[in-house]
Amino acid sequence: MPMVDLHLHLLPGVDDGCKTMEDALAMARALVSLGFTVAAPSPHNRPEYASREVCLARLDEVRAALGAQGVALALEVNAENFFLDEALLSALPTPASRRLGAAGKYLLVEAPYTSPLPLLTDVIFRMKLKGVTPLIAHPERCLEFERKGRAAEAVQAGALLQLDVGALIGRYGKTAQKLARQFVDDGLYAVAATDLHSPVGAEAWVSQSLEALGKLAGARALTQLTEANPARLLAGQPLA
């Protein structure tokens, strides 16, 4: 089964990711060379960045460019939604909550990097009541999950956690690396993703990161985190 990336900033000119179509094509080629065949670009869903409509139009433009260039990377709808809070909960019944894939059963959401989230499990519970499961991006990089046992509490409340593979090789510092390795050991992650923002050096560091994940978790878990589970989330299916 080929790999699926559920978190990357591939769409050009919509957020802090790729700047040009050439960047997007280079990033796509790097992913294909590593064995990815599906990606769900996740532009930041924030007021300072491009709207949902602009992002959808750009997604179609990149799809067309990939086809014209013969780059075999299928693209799905996604976004990185901002924070687990009341505003996010209010947006859930509307298109303003930019869900993952056509099925829309899951929502990629980032927690604050440096602020606590005392109501984390309550918000997760309320999202689940609305029929949406949060996929929390890179918890290893967020202050809230430095609290002992907090990541496990989020999973027990019904959230899924997404590993930023670069954390395993120290791209975000020692604390994030330590937490990422601990969460892998504890089996807390549902998926692993790249969170690519630029094609520069991407093939090398993502390859190194995936190798580190395989050594730490084993070949079977690597397959589960990068292939089987992401594909199931895109299809709106529960994890096995």
Side-chain angles (χ1 to χ4, degrees):
M1 184 182 296
M3 289 193 288
V4 179
D5 192 356
L6 297 186
H7 188 175
L8 70 163
H9 298 269
L10 177 76
L11 305 183
V14 299
D15 61 5
D16 59 347
C18 288
K19 304 302 181 188
T20 65
M21 184 63 76
E22 289 71 24
D23 286 345
L25 290 170
M27 185 183 289
R29 290 190 181 100
L31 288 169
V32 170
S33 72
L34 291 165
F36 290 89
T37 63
V38 180
S42 50
H44 288 291
N45 184 7
R46 300 185 195 173
E48 65 266 33
Y49 292 127
S51 67
R52 173 177 177 269
E53 292 73 23
V54 169
C55 291
L56 290 174
R58 198 61 47 84
L59 181 66
D60 285 339
E61 292 171 12
V62 177
R63 282 172 173 156
L66 292 174
Q69 294 290 320
V71 181
L73 186 70
L75 301 184
E76 300 286 347
V77 175
N78 194 15
E80 185 176 9
N81 293 273
F82 194 50
F83 291 1
L84 289 153
D85 60 11
E86 290 294 335
L88 180 64
L89 286 168
S90 298
L92 282 181
T94 75
S97 71
R98 290 150 59 175
R99 304 185 193 182
L100 173 64
K105 297 290 187 181
Y106 300 91
L107 185 83
L108 180 67
V109 61
E110 62 176 337
Y113 288 112
T114 59
S115 302
L117 275 175
L119 297 179
L120 173 66
T121 54
D122 177 65
V123 174
I124 292 169
F125 176 73
R126 291 165 66 191
M127 288 183 70
K128 296 286 286 186
L129 287 179
K130 292 175 179 284
V132 179
T133 297
L135 174 62
I136 302 177
H138 43 64
E140 68 281 346
R141 294 163 56 189
C142 302
L143 177 68
E144 183 68 22
F145 295 98
E146 293 181 26
R147 292 176 51 190
K148 185 175 179 61
R150 193 56 162 164
E153 288 178 5
V155 172
Q156 289 163 6
L160 302 177
L161 304 185
Q162 171 250 304
L163 165 68
D164 182 335
V165 293
L168 294 175
I169 60 170
R171 283 181 63 86
Y172 309 104
K174 293 295 185 182
T175 298
Q177 184 178 33
K178 179 181 178 181
L179 288 174
R181 289 178 174 270
Q182 184 62 60
F183 296 165
V184 170
D185 283 343
D186 293 343
L188 294 177
Y189 288 115
V191 298
T194 67
D195 194 11
L196 277 171
H197 280 66
S198 167
V200 178
E203 187 172 347
W205 76 254
V206 173
S207 176
Q208 183 183 355
S209 301
L210 292 172
E211 182 179 356
L213 178 57
K215 288 181 178 178
L216 183 63
R220 182 176 179 181
L222 176 64
T223 299
Q224 200 74 22
L225 293 170
T226 62
E227 301 178 19
N229 285 357
R232 293 187 71 85
L233 298 193
L234 269 179
Q237 299 171 349
L239 298 185

